[in-house]
């Protein structure tokens, strides 16, 4: 999708990534470090706990046009299952080496990169990462899920009632490089 179809037809359009709730743990305070690597913090004593992963993808319009400079606000649980949020009353450990959230920008080609830990599931939620994406004209609040997980048990994933929508919010596992799991997830902002 997004590429020109055979025989000189018009370019195909991409379906927008589905909207999903912000959730109760949108960051109230931010770490001073808001870079692409959530696994280290300035003055920290090491690397965040958990399974390290890298996520790469592109941010485009429905017509497949890259959205250079798109703003991505990202937040998630740490590798122990806790958000950096005062309302998280799980009692799980706080990881002082985990950034918790980041605000990054897509590059000139609309691509982004994030290094983080694979979040743990909690309560009735499966592994996921929150995204608030701002293009030139529109915003998208959504969540990214992981392949091979029991996502059908999640409270939000099943509300996406067809396979195409569920696929649109699920990352693709590309493999493992130097011990780091590599994922790809492309984001399509409707109305751009």
């Amino acid at each position: 999708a997004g590429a020109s179809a055979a025989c000189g037809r018009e370019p195909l359009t991409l379906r927008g990534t589905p909207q999903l709730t912000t959730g109760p743990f949108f960051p109230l305070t931010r770490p001073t470090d808001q870079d692409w690597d959530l696994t280290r913090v300035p003055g920290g004593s090491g690397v965040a706990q958990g399974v390290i992963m890298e996520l790469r993808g592109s941010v485009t319009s429905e017509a497949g046009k890259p959205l250079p400079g798109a703003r991505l606000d990202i937040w998630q649980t740490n590798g122990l299952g806790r958000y950096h949020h005062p309302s998280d009353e799980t009692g799980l450990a706080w990881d002082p080496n985990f950034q918790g959230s980041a605000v990054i920008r897509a590059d000139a080609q609309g691509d982004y990169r994030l290094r983080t830990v694979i979040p743990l599931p909690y309560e009735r939620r499966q592994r996921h990462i929150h995204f608030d994406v701002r293009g030139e004209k529109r915003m998208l609040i959504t969540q990214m899920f992981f392949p091979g997980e029991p996502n059908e048990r999640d409270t939000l994933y099943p509300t996406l009632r067809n396979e195409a929508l569920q696929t649109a919010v699920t990352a693709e596992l590309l493999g493992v490089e130097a011990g780091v799991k590599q994922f790809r997830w492309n984001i399509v902002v409707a109305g751009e």
Side-chain angles (χ1 to χ4, degrees), residues 41-170:
V41 295
S45 60
V47 179
Q49 297 177 58
V51 177
I52 305 295
M53 63 169 275
E54 283 199 11
L55 176 65
R56 296 170 192 260
S58 60
V59 183
T60 66
S61 69
E62 292 165 295
K65 176 186 170 232
L67 298 179
R71 180 181 176 270
L72 293 89
D73 191 344
I74 302 156
W75 66 102
Q76 66 173 84
T77 65
N78 64 25
L80 305 169
R82 180 183 176 135
Y83 282 95
H84 283 207
H85 194 282
S87 295
D88 184 336
E89 298 176 350
T90 60
L92 297 170
W94 179 278
D95 183 350
N97 294 311
F98 182 63
Q99 192 170 299
S101 65
V103 177
I104 61 174
R105 296 243 177 220
D107 67 16
Q109 291 74 45
D111 295 329
Y112 72 93
R113 178 179 175 205
L114 177 69
R115 184 177 183 93
T116 186
V117 295
I118 295 180
L120 287 186
Y122 63 92
E123 296 177 3
R124 297 179 328 175
R125 296 302 316 275
Q126 297 302 310
R127 300 175 197 273
H128 64 281
I129 299 176
H130 297 265
F131 284 79
D132 177 340
V133 183
R134 308 288 171 115
E136 296 172 10
K137 299 181 262 181
R138 299 280 189 254
M139 67 179 277
L140 167 69
I141 295 175
T142 193
Q143 297 175 27
M144 185 208 83
F145 291 84
F146 289 81
E149 298 288 328
N151 292 323
E152 67 281 353
R153 293 188 209 153
D154 188 81
T155 55
L156 289 178
Y157 189 87
T159 65
L160 302 169
R161 300 207 181 268
N162 70 56
E163 189 176 337
L165 295 175
Q166 292 173 349
T167 298
V169 296
T170 305

Side-chain angles (χ1 to χ4, degrees), residues 10-28:
E10 292 295 315
L12 299 173
T13 58
L14 304 171
R15 176 176 234 163
T17 301
Q19 293 271 354
L20 288 170
T21 180
T22 305
F25 299 115
F26 182 82
L28 297 178

